Each structure stands twice: as C-alpha cells, then as structure tokens.
C-alpha cells in the first residue's frame, strides 16, 4: 500500500509538470516579512541567520490540526509527538533536545521551570496564529538563556475589521472538534477572542484526549506614539498517556492546565522605540501511573513564572542600537520536587550597522545573573554580504547557555534519580550560509557547527534486571559536537492544465552529525537520539479554480531509531469564501513508527470538516 500511494504521488506530480503552461505571466511575489525580535526588527531578506517563516496560508492548508503538527513540516525541526492534535510534543533544533528550544508568543517567553515537556502547552488555537518564525541556532543573545539551540516565535495580530470564523471537523478514532474566532473592534480598541476544542477516543488503548484552548488579545492606540496591549490564554488538556514515559504502566494519565497573561506599553516615535511589558505563566500538572488509582502514584506540580521586561531601540546615522533588561522569578510547588524558587536578571545590548550598499554587521551581548551561578555573558555577531539583489552570503557566531530544569535537578522515582549538582550547559556556535531570494524562487544552503560543554543527558549502565533496571541519572557530558548541512528550496510555479495547475514545489534536506564522547558501555536517553537525515518535500496545486491540494512527504532517520516515511495530503474547497470544506488524510502510507517515548503513532487516519467566514 505504501508503494502504491508513493507512486500515485510522483506520477501525479510528473503529469502536472509535463502539461502545457497556463498563459499567465504574472510573477508571484513572495511576501516581505519583518522578523519580530524583541528589540531590532529586520526584513527577512536582510537577516544573517537561518530563519524559517511559516505563513498564514501555509498554516491553513497544511494537513495538520495543531501547532506541533504544522512545525513537523518545517525543515530542520525535530518534532517528536506523543499522540496527535498537540496533546504533547517535544521539539529539537539542530540536534538539540526539547529543554534547549525556547517557545515564544509575540516575543513572550513560555519557559517552564519544571520541564521542557510543557514548553508546547500553547494556550493559543492554531487558527489564531498569523505566522511562525523559527530561529535555528543560538538565540541566547536575542531572547535569553533558554534559547540554547533555537527559538520559535508565534505571531498573532489584531484585525481592524469585524470578523467571525467557525470551523468544525470529525474523523477517525472518534476525533471531533472545532474553533470559533471573532474580531470585535470598538473605535480604536481592537480585540479578538478565539476558542478551540479537540477530542478523540484514541488510536490505541488509553490514548484518548481532550484539548481546549481559549485566547483573548486586545490593544488600543492612545495616540500616535503610545499603544497598550493585553493578552490572556488558557489551555486545558487531559489525556491517556499510554507509553508516554514508560511501557510498564499502560494506564498512565495526565492533566494539564496552562495560564498565560501579559500587559504591555509601546512607545514608537521618530527614531526611538521602547516597550515595557509584564507577564505571568502558570502550569498545573497532575500525573498518575494508574489512571483510576491516584493513590498508587501521583505527581502534582504547580509552576509559576513572573517576568518584567524593558526593550528598546534607537536609530541614528551610525545604525540601530538595541538594549533591554529583564527580571524573572520562577517557582514550583510539587510533592516530588519540593517547594523551590529562583530569580534571574538579564541585560541585552546590540548594534547593527550597514557598511556601504552591500555589507551589514550586527553584534551584541546578553549578560545573565542567576543567584546560584553568578554572572554569565553570551556574545554574538553576524555579518551579511548582499552580492546582488537576490543573492546574500552570511556568517555568524554565538554562545548558548541553559540552566537545568527542576526535573533534571530534583526529580526521583523508581526509574530515575536526581542530580542537584548539575552545571549549566554552554555551547559555541558557528554558521555560514547562502540565500537566494527572487520573485518566484527561494533557496538556502547552510553549514552549522556547535561545540557543547556540560551537555545534560540521562545515562545509565546496562542491566539485565527486569522490570527494575538501573536508574537513569542526569549528568553533564564533557564534550559533544554537532555539525551539519541544511538545504531548502521553494519555487512558485504556474504550470498545468486549465483545471489543474501546480502552484508551488518545495523540498529540503538536513543532515546532522553528532560526536558524543562517553564510554561505550553507557546507555544514553537523549544525546544519541537526534536527527541524522531529514527530507521534506511538498506540492500545492489548484483544481477547477475552487480547490487547493497540498501534499507533504517526510523521510526521517534518527541516530537510535528506525527511519520512516510519511505522506500527508489535504484538499480545501472554497477556503477563503463564506462556506468552505476540507478533507485531509495523515500517514497515507500507513507507516508504523514511534517518535517519542514508547507511543506507537497512528496509522492512516482521515478528517473532514467545514469553514464559515462571516462578515
């Protein structure tokens, strides 16, 4: 069956490409995007980093029901899901683990002191995301200490016109759900409210789930210079966790509630910009080894993050200067980890200057004070050379830094022990790349190198004891080197017949080599599980002037797991009209595979639904 669907896909693509071209000479202009960093915003075509941008159209047409699933089609990202529809997923970048990737919403950090497993508890429905910016490589100089291997920034917007969008869907495994999004501006006061709900009976025993997200955002322009914004999000997810953390207890169960709120003030006039904001994030986690027997083993954790930030930039004849300060307190109340808190202070400074018409340089430093480790400084620099309007060469260097989570420091159970003496992770990063950016074509080739000291990994000595083998223990691995090549191409085309027209072709290949220095007899939980080879390819086509077809294929090979191939497709009918329909099929080839833990992912499964776009 896998071979049949694969052949159908490539024969269909070949047929469209060999057809006569449609008589349409209009160039398809690729969208110009300003990358939304907290201090200095830079047009996408002038950025000297490897950054992927997922547009609103891509979010809508990708065969996916969650942010996690959309990101799984982004080149260079290692998305490991336990279940579907965003129940729980870990994201790695360039061989990094889930603790080393920072998630943000409009620049607000979603750090979780308990564990990076909760980083993707995003309290924003997928349909509220305008675009996604994926920074690959060190982000400590830009976003702070948790952006060790990269950062993912989810961008939302506040519409200035009224709107109401409704979607409903159903599918295999008892899947059902939908969302409602409404924009209700009142004069200069803009606001949007979105609610989504996804549920399923599960694709295997004890894999049912319910996920509900509520998101509210508002803003008001006080005058031409000043603006106030507020944001609130809530996520509630309950799910059977069969195989999530161990295969010895198939009745594992978990319940999570995540709250996020923020308020900010922005001043923007002439050459001066500054923003002050405060935010609070709370995560409530209840985990049971036996779903219906909480007295057998239950962990209860409540973590809080309170932060205050000030970011600013000033434009002069010498370029753009950015500076900022952040203060953050993290705390946890847990029956396993105890009652703990810690405080951070961070200082940012950077400057970007253009030399002549073709060269630009950006350099800066992030200084962090943590009460247990003192001051640490993380410099970085970028240089870009615009060889022609469409060709850009660049290189950069940066230092990464991450402190251990409370789980790594203090968590203990029958399978794991703790290590309160862990040291922070540090890494030196280098990147060299080339970008091609034309009206129809984008391409990029990048080489990266990361040398890590004190990488935190769980290890153990092999044991024949069952069901009680040696415990996993977190520790600092002395030396680890990651290097690799990233390539991607996206081409806007206009080929085909009158009623079937190919509009876009994309492909990417990523290779990572990991050199880990440790004794051969040691078993590693995370460090030897990174991606080695990743191939992603896709096409988009228009059918009969009303339907859009998106087909995505992926080949993934990890160091310690069997490789696998996935094929997904979606058809949208009247997507932008008042009433539309969609059908999507995931894992068309019915591949059997595992991404994280011991969770067997679903085979082929289909969903269908409707969209209503009112006023």
């Amino acid at each position: 069956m896998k071979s049949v669907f694969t052949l159908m896909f490539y024969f269909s693509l070949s047929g469209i490409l060999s057809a006569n071209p449609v008589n349409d000479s209009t160039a398809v202009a690729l969208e110009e995007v300003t990358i939304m960093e907290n201090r200095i915003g830079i047009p996408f075509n002038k950025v000297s980093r490897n950054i992927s941008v997922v547009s609103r159209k891509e979010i809508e047409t990708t065969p996916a029901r969650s942010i996690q699933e959309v990101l799984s089609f982004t080149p260079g990202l290692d998305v490991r899901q336990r279940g579907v529809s965003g129940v729980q997923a870990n994201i790695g970048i360039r061989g990094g683990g889930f603790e080393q990737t920072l998630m943000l919403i409009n620049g607000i950090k979603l750090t979780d002191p308990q564990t990076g497993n909760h980083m993707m508890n995003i309290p924003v429905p997928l349909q509220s995301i305008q675009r996604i910016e994926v920074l690959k490589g060190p982000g400590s100089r830009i976003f702070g200490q948790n952006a060790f291997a990269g950062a993912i920034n989810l961008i939302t917007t506040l519409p200035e016109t009224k709107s109401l969008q409704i979607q409903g869907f159903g599918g295999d495994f008892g899947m059902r759900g939908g969302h409602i999004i409404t924009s209700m501006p009142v004069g200069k006061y803009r606001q949007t409210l979105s609610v989504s709900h996804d549920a399923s009976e599960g694709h295997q025993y004890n894999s049912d789930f319910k996920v509900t997200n509520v998101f509210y955002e508002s803003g008001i322009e006080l005058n031409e210079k000043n603006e106030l914004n507020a944001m609130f999000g809530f996520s509630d997810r309950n799910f059977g966790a069969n195989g999530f953390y161990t295969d010895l207890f198939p009745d594992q169960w978990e319940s999570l509630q995540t709250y996020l709120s923020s308020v900010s003030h922005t001043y923007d006039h002439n050459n001066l910009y500054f923003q002050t904001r405060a935010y609070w994030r709370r995560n409530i986690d209840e985990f049971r080894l036996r779903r219906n027997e909480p007295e057998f083993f239950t962990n209860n954790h409540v973590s809080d993050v309170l932060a205050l930030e000030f970011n600013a930039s000033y434009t002069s004849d010498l370029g753009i200067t950015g500076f900022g300060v952040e203060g953050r307190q993290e705390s946890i109340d847990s029956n396993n980890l105890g009652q703990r808190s810690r405080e951070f202070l961070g200082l940012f400074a950077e400057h970007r200057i253009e030399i002549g018409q073709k060269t630009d340089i950006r350099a800066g430093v992030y200084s962090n004070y943590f009460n247990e480790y003192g001051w640490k400084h993380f410099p970085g620099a970028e240089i870009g050379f615009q060889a022609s309007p469409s060709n850009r060469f660049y290189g950069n260097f940066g230092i990464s830094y991450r402190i251990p989570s409370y789980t790594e420091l203090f968590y203990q159970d029958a399978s794991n022990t703790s290590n309160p003496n862990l040291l922070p992770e540090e890494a030196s990063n280098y990147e060299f790349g080339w970008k091609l950016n034309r009206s129809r074509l984008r391409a990029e080739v990048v080489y990266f190198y990361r040398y890590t000291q004190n990488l935190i990994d769980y290890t153990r000595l092999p044991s024949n004891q069952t069901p009680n083998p040696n415990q996993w223990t977190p520790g600092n691995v002395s030396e680890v080197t990651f290097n690799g090549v990233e390539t991607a191409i996206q081409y806007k085309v206009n080929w085909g017949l009158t009623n079937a027209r190919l509009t876009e072709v994309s492909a990417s290949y990523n290779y990572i080599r990991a050199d880990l220095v440790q004794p051969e007899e040691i078993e590693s939980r995370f460090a030897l599980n990174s991606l080695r080879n990743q191939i992603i390819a896709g096409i988009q086509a228009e059918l009969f002037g009303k339907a859009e077809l998106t087909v995505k294929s992926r080949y993934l090979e990890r160091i310690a797991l069997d490789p696998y191939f996935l094929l997904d497709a979606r058809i949208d009918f009247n997507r932008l009209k008042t009433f539309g329909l969609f059908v999507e099929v995931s894992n068309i080839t019915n591949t059997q595979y595992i991404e994280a833990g011991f969770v067997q992912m679903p085979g082929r499964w289909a969903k269908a639904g409707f969209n209503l776009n009112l006023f």
Side-chain angles (χ1 to χ4, degrees), residues 76-144:
L77 293 193
D78 184 11
V79 181
R80 304 186 186 190
Q81 298 188 80
R82 296 176 173 93
V84 296
S85 293
V87 170
Q88 188 184 93
N90 298 329
I91 297 184
I93 301 177
R94 292 183 171 175
F98 58 87
E99 296 280 7
Q100 299 171 339
T101 302
L102 178 65
M103 294 298 304
L104 307 100
I105 298 177
N106 298 324
I108 294 174
K109 305 174 184 67
L110 303 184
T111 56
D112 192 295
Q114 179 195 340
T115 172
N117 275 326
H118 298 324
M119 194 78 74
M120 292 302 297
N121 297 348
I122 307 295
V124 182
L126 176 64
Q127 294 73 20
S128 294
I129 305 298
Q130 184 65 25
R131 70 177 185 273
I132 305 173
E133 299 173 357
V134 180
L135 168 68
K136 303 167 191 175
S140 295
R141 191 199 84 229
I142 299 171
F143 294 117

Coordinates of all heavy atoms in Angstrom, one line a residue, residues 76-144:
G76 N 14.5 21.2 9.3 CA 15.5 21.4 10.4 C 14.9 21.2 11.8 O 15.6 21.2 12.8
L77 N 13.6 21.1 12.0 CA 12.9 20.9 13.3 C 12.7 19.4 13.5 O 12.2 18.7 12.6 CB 11.6 21.6 13.4 CG 11.6 23.1 13.4 CD1 10.3 23.7 13.8 CD2 12.7 23.7 14.3
D78 N 13.0 18.9 14.7 CA 12.8 17.5 15.1 C 11.6 17.5 16.0 O 11.8 17.8 17.2 CB 14.0 16.9 15.7 CG 13.9 15.5 16.1 OD1 12.9 14.9 15.6 OD2 14.8 14.9 16.8
V79 N 10.4 17.3 15.5 CA 9.2 17.3 16.3 C 8.9 15.8 16.7 O 8.6 15.0 15.8 CB 8.0 17.9 15.5 CG1 6.8 17.9 16.4 CG2 8.4 19.3 15.1
R80 N 8.8 15.6 18.0 CA 8.5 14.2 18.5 C 7.2 14.3 19.3 O 7.2 14.8 20.4 CB 9.7 13.7 19.3 CG 11.0 13.7 18.6 CD 12.1 13.1 19.4 NE 13.4 13.2 18.8 CZ 14.5 12.6 19.2 NH1 14.4 11.8 20.3 NH2 15.6 12.8 18.6
Q81 N 6.2 13.7 18.7 CA 4.9 13.8 19.3 C 4.6 12.5 20.1 O 4.9 11.4 19.7 CB 3.8 14.0 18.2 CG 4.0 15.3 17.5 CD 2.8 15.5 16.6 OE1 1.7 16.0 17.0 NE2 2.9 15.2 15.3
R82 N 3.9 12.7 21.2 CA 3.2 11.6 21.9 C 1.7 11.7 21.7 O 1.1 12.5 22.4 CB 3.6 11.6 23.4 CG 5.1 11.4 23.7 CD 5.3 11.6 25.2 NE 6.7 11.2 25.6 CZ 7.7 12.1 25.7 NH1 7.5 13.4 25.4 NH2 8.9 11.7 26.1
G83 N 1.2 11.1 20.6 CA -0.2 11.3 20.3 C -0.3 12.4 19.2 O 0.7 12.8 18.6
V84 N -1.5 12.8 19.0 CA -1.8 13.8 17.9 C -2.5 15.0 18.4 O -2.9 15.1 19.6 CB -2.7 13.1 16.8 CG1 -1.9 11.9 16.2 CG2 -4.0 12.6 17.4
S85 N -2.8 16.0 17.5 CA -3.5 17.2 17.8 C -2.9 18.0 19.0 O -3.6 18.6 19.8 CB -5.0 16.9 18.2 OG -5.7 16.4 17.0
G86 N -1.6 17.9 19.1 CA -0.9 18.8 20.1 C -1.0 18.3 21.5 O -0.9 19.2 22.4
V87 N -1.4 17.1 21.8 CA -1.5 16.6 23.1 C -0.2 16.8 23.9 O -0.2 17.4 24.9 CB -1.9 15.1 23.1 CG1 -1.8 14.5 24.6 CG2 -3.3 14.9 22.6
Q88 N 0.9 16.3 23.4 CA 2.2 16.6 23.9 C 3.3 16.3 22.9 O 3.2 15.3 22.1 CB 2.5 15.7 25.1 CG 3.8 16.1 25.9 CD 4.2 15.2 27.0 OE1 4.9 14.3 26.8 NE2 3.7 15.5 28.2
A89 N 4.2 17.2 22.7 CA 5.3 17.1 21.7 C 6.5 17.8 22.2 O 6.5 18.8 23.0 CB 4.8 17.7 20.4
N90 N 7.7 17.2 21.9 CA 9.0 17.8 22.1 C 9.6 18.3 20.8 O 9.5 17.6 19.8 CB 9.9 16.8 22.8 CG 9.3 16.4 24.2 OD1 8.6 17.1 24.9 ND2 9.6 15.1 24.5
I91 N 10.2 19.4 20.9 CA 10.8 20.0 19.6 C 12.3 20.2 19.8 O 12.7 20.9 20.8 CB 10.1 21.3 19.2 CG1 8.6 21.0 18.9 CG2 10.8 21.9 18.0 CD1 7.9 22.1 18.4
G92 N 13.1 19.7 18.9 CA 14.5 19.9 19.0 C 15.0 20.6 17.7 O 14.3 20.5 16.6
I93 N 16.1 21.4 17.8 CA 16.6 22.1 16.6 C 18.1 21.8 16.6 O 18.8 21.9 17.5 CB 16.4 23.6 16.8 CG1 14.9 23.9 16.9 CG2 17.0 24.4 15.6 CD1 14.6 25.4 17.1
R94 N 18.5 21.3 15.4 CA 20.0 21.1 15.1 C 20.6 20.1 16.2 O 21.6 20.4 16.7 CB 20.7 22.4 15.1 CG 20.4 23.2 13.9 CD 21.3 24.5 13.8 NE 21.1 25.1 12.5 CZ 21.6 26.3 12.2 NH1 22.4 26.9 13.0 NH2 21.4 26.9 11.0
G95 N 19.9 19.0 16.4 CA 20.3 18.0 17.4 C 20.1 18.4 18.8 O 20.4 17.5 19.7
G96 N 19.5 19.5 19.1 CA 19.3 19.9 20.5 C 18.0 19.2 21.0 O 17.2 18.8 20.3
G97 N 17.9 19.1 22.3 CA 16.8 18.5 23.0 C 15.7 19.5 23.2 O 15.8 20.7 23.0
F98 N 14.5 18.9 23.7 CA 13.4 19.8 24.0 C 13.6 20.8 25.1 O 12.9 21.8 25.1 CB 12.2 18.9 24.3 CG 12.3 18.0 25.5 CD1 12.0 18.5 26.8 CD2 12.7 16.7 25.4 CE1 12.2 17.7 27.9 CE2 12.9 15.9 26.5 CZ 12.6 16.4 27.8
E99 N 14.6 20.6 26.0 CA 14.9 21.6 27.0 C 15.7 22.7 26.4 O 15.8 23.8 27.0 CB 15.7 20.9 28.1 CG 15.1 19.8 28.9 CD 14.1 20.4 30.0 OE1 13.9 21.6 30.0 OE2 13.6 19.5 30.8
Q100 N 16.2 22.6 25.2 CA 17.1 23.6 24.6 C 16.4 24.4 23.5 O 17.1 25.2 22.9 CB 18.3 22.9 24.0 CG 19.1 22.1 25.0 CD 20.2 21.2 24.4 OE1 20.1 20.9 23.2 NE2 21.2 20.9 25.1
T101 N 15.1 24.3 23.4 CA 14.3 25.1 22.5 C 13.4 26.0 23.2 O 12.6 25.6 24.1 CB 13.5 24.2 21.5 OG1 14.4 23.3 20.8 CG2 12.7 25.0 20.5
L102 N 13.4 27.3 22.9 CA 12.6 28.3 23.5 C 11.3 28.6 22.7 O 11.5 28.9 21.5 CB 13.3 29.6 23.8 CG 12.6 30.7 24.4 CD1 12.1 30.3 25.8 CD2 13.4 32.0 24.5
M103 N 10.1 28.5 23.3 CA 8.9 28.9 22.6 C 8.5 30.3 23.1 O 8.7 30.6 24.3 CB 7.8 27.9 22.9 CG 8.0 26.5 22.4 SD 8.0 26.4 20.6 CE 6.5 27.2 20.2
L104 N 8.0 31.1 22.2 CA 7.5 32.4 22.5 C 6.2 32.7 21.8 O 5.9 32.1 20.7 CB 8.5 33.5 22.0 CG 10.0 33.4 22.5 CD1 10.8 32.8 21.4 CD2 10.6 34.7 22.9
I105 N 5.4 33.6 22.4 CA 4.2 34.1 21.7 C 4.4 35.6 21.7 O 4.4 36.3 22.7 CB 2.9 33.8 22.5 CG1 2.7 32.3 22.5 CG2 1.7 34.4 21.9 CD1 1.5 31.8 23.3
N106 N 4.5 36.2 20.5 CA 4.7 37.6 20.3 C 5.9 38.1 21.2 O 5.9 39.2 21.7 CB 3.5 38.4 20.7 CG 2.3 38.1 19.8 OD1 2.4 37.8 18.6 ND2 1.1 38.1 20.4
G107 N 6.9 37.3 21.2 CA 8.1 37.7 22.0 C 8.1 37.3 23.4 O 9.1 37.5 24.1
I108 N 7.0 36.9 24.0 CA 6.9 36.5 25.4 C 7.3 35.1 25.6 O 6.8 34.1 24.9 CB 5.4 36.7 25.9 CG1 5.0 38.1 25.8 CG2 5.2 36.1 27.3 CD1 3.6 38.4 26.2
K109 N 8.3 34.8 26.5 CA 8.9 33.5 26.6 C 8.0 32.6 27.4 O 7.4 32.9 28.5 CB 10.2 33.7 27.4 CG 11.2 34.7 26.8 CD 12.4 34.9 27.6 CE 13.3 35.9 27.0 NZ 12.8 37.3 27.0
L110 N 7.8 31.4 26.9 CA 7.0 30.3 27.5 C 7.9 29.3 28.3 O 7.7 28.1 28.2 CB 6.2 29.6 26.5 CG 5.3 30.5 25.6 CD1 4.4 29.7 24.7 CD2 4.4 31.4 26.5
T111 N 8.8 29.8 29.1 CA 9.7 28.9 29.8 C 8.9 28.2 30.9 O 8.0 28.8 31.5 CB 10.8 29.7 30.5 OG1 10.3 30.8 31.3 CG2 11.7 30.3 29.4
D112 N 9.3 27.0 31.2 CA 8.7 26.2 32.2 C 9.8 25.6 33.1 O 10.6 24.8 32.7 CB 7.8 25.1 31.6 CG 6.9 24.4 32.7 OD1 7.5 23.8 33.6 OD2 5.7 24.5 32.6
P113 N 9.9 26.0 34.4 CA 11.0 25.6 35.2 C 10.9 24.1 35.6 O 11.9 23.5 36.0 CB 10.8 26.5 36.5 CG 9.4 26.8 36.5 CD 9.0 27.0 35.1
Q114 N 9.7 23.5 35.5 CA 9.5 22.1 35.8 C 10.2 21.2 34.8 O 11.1 20.4 35.1 CB 8.1 21.7 35.9 CG 7.9 20.2 36.3 CD 6.4 19.8 36.0 OE1 5.5 20.6 36.0 NE2 6.2 18.5 35.9
T115 N 9.8 21.4 33.5 CA 10.4 20.5 32.5 C 10.0 21.1 31.1 O 9.0 21.7 30.9 CB 9.8 19.1 32.5 OG1 10.2 18.4 31.4 CG2 8.3 19.1 32.6
G116 N 10.9 20.9 30.1 CA 10.7 21.4 28.8 C 9.5 20.6 28.1 O 9.1 21.0 27.0
N117 N 9.1 19.5 28.7 CA 8.0 18.7 28.2 C 6.7 19.6 28.1 O 5.8 19.3 27.3 CB 7.6 17.5 29.0 CG 8.5 16.3 28.7 OD1 8.8 16.1 27.5 ND2 8.9 15.5 29.7
H118 N 6.6 20.7 28.9 CA 5.5 21.5 28.9 C 5.6 22.8 28.1 O 4.8 23.6 28.1 CB 5.2 22.0 30.4 CG 4.8 20.8 31.3 ND1 4.1 19.7 30.9 CD2 5.1 20.6 32.6 CE1 4.0 18.9 31.9 NE2 4.6 19.4 32.9
M119 N 6.8 22.9 27.4 CA 7.0 24.1 26.6 C 6.0 24.3 25.5 O 5.7 25.4 25.1 CB 8.4 24.0 26.0 CG 8.9 25.3 25.4 SD 9.5 26.4 26.7 CE 11.1 25.7 27.1
M120 N 5.4 23.2 25.0 CA 4.5 23.2 23.9 C 3.0 23.2 24.4 O 2.1 23.0 23.6 CB 4.7 22.1 22.9 CG 6.0 22.1 22.2 SD 6.2 23.6 21.2 CE 4.8 23.5 20.0
N121 N 2.8 23.5 25.6 CA 1.4 23.7 26.1 C 1.0 25.1 25.7 O 0.9 26.0 26.5 CB 1.3 23.5 27.6 CG 1.7 22.1 28.1 OD1 1.8 21.2 27.3 ND2 1.9 21.9 29.4
I122 N 0.7 25.3 24.5 CA 0.5 26.6 23.9 C -1.0 27.0 24.1 O -1.9 26.3 23.5 CB 0.8 26.6 22.4 CG1 2.2 26.1 22.2 CG2 0.7 28.0 21.8 CD1 3.3 27.0 22.8
P123 N -1.3 28.0 24.8 CA -2.7 28.4 25.0 C -3.3 29.2 23.9 O -4.0 30.2 24.2 CB -2.7 29.1 26.4 CG -1.3 29.8 26.4 CD -0.4 28.8 25.6
V124 N -3.0 28.9 22.7 CA -3.4 29.7 21.6 C -3.9 28.7 20.5 O -3.1 27.9 20.1 CB -2.3 30.6 21.0 CG1 -2.8 31.4 19.8 CG2 -1.7 31.5 22.0
P125 N -5.2 28.8 20.0 CA -5.6 28.0 19.0 C -4.8 28.2 17.7 O -4.3 29.3 17.4 CB -7.1 28.4 18.7 CG -7.5 29.0 20.1 CD -6.3 29.7 20.6
L126 N -4.6 27.1 16.9 CA -3.8 27.2 15.7 C -4.3 28.3 14.8 O -3.5 29.0 14.1 CB -3.8 25.9 15.0 CG -3.1 25.8 13.7 CD1 -1.6 26.0 13.8 CD2 -3.3 24.4 13.0
Q127 N -5.6 28.5 14.7 CA -6.2 29.4 13.8 C -6.0 30.8 14.1 O -6.2 31.7 13.3 CB -7.7 29.1 13.7 CG -8.1 27.8 13.0 CD -7.8 26.6 14.0 OE1 -7.7 26.8 15.2 NE2 -7.7 25.4 13.5
S128 N -5.5 31.1 15.3 CA -5.2 32.5 15.7 C -3.8 32.9 15.4 O -3.4 34.1 15.5 CB -5.4 32.7 17.3 OG -6.7 32.5 17.6
I129 N -2.9 32.0 14.9 CA -1.5 32.3 14.6 C -1.4 32.9 13.2 O -1.9 32.3 12.2 CB -0.7 31.0 14.7 CG1 -0.8 30.3 16.1 CG2 0.8 31.3 14.4 CD1 -0.4 31.2 17.2
Q130 N -0.9 34.1 13.1 CA -0.7 34.7 11.8 C 0.5 34.2 11.1 O 0.5 34.0 9.8 CB -0.5 36.2 12.0 CG -0.5 37.0 10.7 CD -1.7 37.0 9.9 OE1 -2.8 36.7 10.5 NE2 -1.7 37.1 8.6
R131 N 1.6 33.9 11.8 CA 2.8 33.3 11.2 C 3.7 32.8 12.3 O 3.5 33.1 13.5 CB 3.5 34.3 10.3 CG 4.3 35.4 11.0 CD 5.1 36.2 10.0 NE 5.9 37.2 10.7 CZ 5.5 38.4 11.0 NH1 4.2 38.8 10.7 NH2 6.3 39.3 11.7
I132 N 4.6 31.9 11.9 CA 5.5 31.3 12.9 C 7.0 31.6 12.4 O 7.3 31.3 11.2 CB 5.3 29.8 13.0 CG1 3.9 29.5 13.4 CG2 6.3 29.2 14.0 CD1 3.5 28.0 13.3
E133 N 7.8 32.1 13.2 CA 9.2 32.4 12.9 C 10.1 31.4 13.7 O 10.0 31.4 14.9 CB 9.6 33.9 13.3 CG 8.7 34.9 12.5 CD 9.0 36.3 13.0 OE1 9.7 36.5 14.0 OE2 8.4 37.2 12.4
V134 N 10.9 30.7 12.9 CA 11.7 29.6 13.5 C 13.2 30.1 13.4 O 13.7 30.1 12.3 CB 11.5 28.3 12.9 CG1 12.4 27.2 13.5 CG2 10.0 27.9 13.0
L135 N 13.8 30.4 14.5 CA 15.2 30.7 14.5 C 16.0 29.5 14.8 O 15.9 28.9 15.9 CB 15.5 31.8 15.6 CG 16.9 32.1 15.9 CD1 17.7 32.8 14.8 CD2 17.0 33.0 17.2
K136 N 16.9 29.1 13.9 CA 17.7 27.9 14.1 C 19.1 28.4 14.5 O 19.7 29.2 13.8 CB 17.8 27.1 12.8 CG 16.4 26.7 12.3 CD 16.5 26.2 10.9 CE 15.1 26.0 10.3 NZ 15.1 25.6 8.9
G137 N 19.6 27.8 15.6 CA 20.9 28.2 16.1 C 20.8 29.0 17.3 O 19.7 29.2 17.9
P138 N 21.9 29.5 17.9 CA 21.9 30.1 19.2 C 21.0 31.4 19.3 O 21.0 32.2 18.4 CB 23.3 30.5 19.4 CG 23.9 30.7 18.1 CD 23.2 29.6 17.2
G139 N 20.1 31.5 20.3 CA 19.3 32.6 20.4 C 19.4 33.3 21.8 O 18.7 34.2 22.1
S140 N 20.5 32.9 22.5 CA 20.7 33.5 23.9 C 20.9 35.0 23.8 O 20.4 35.7 24.7 CB 21.8 32.8 24.6 OG 21.6 31.4 24.8
R141 N 21.7 35.5 22.8 CA 21.9 36.9 22.7 C 20.7 37.7 22.5 O 20.5 38.9 22.8 CB 22.9 37.1 21.6 CG 23.5 38.5 21.6 CD 24.1 38.9 20.2 NE 23.1 39.3 19.3 CZ 23.0 38.9 18.0 NH1 23.8 37.9 17.6 NH2 22.0 39.3 17.2
I142 N 19.7 37.1 21.8 CA 18.5 37.8 21.4 C 17.3 37.6 22.4 O 16.7 38.5 22.8 CB 18.0 37.3 20.0 CG1 19.1 37.5 19.0 CG2 16.7 37.9 19.6 CD1 18.8 36.9 17.6
F143 N 17.1 36.3 22.9 CA 16.0 36.0 23.7 C 16.3 35.6 25.2 O 15.5 35.5 26.0 CB 15.1 34.9 23.1 CG 14.5 35.3 21.8 CD1 14.8 34.7 20.6 CD2 13.6 36.3 21.7 CE1 14.3 35.0 19.4 CE2 13.0 36.7 20.5 CZ 13.3 36.1 19.4
G144 N 17.6 35.3 25.4 CA 18.0 34.9 26.8 C 18.4 33.5 26.9 O 18.6 32.8 25.9

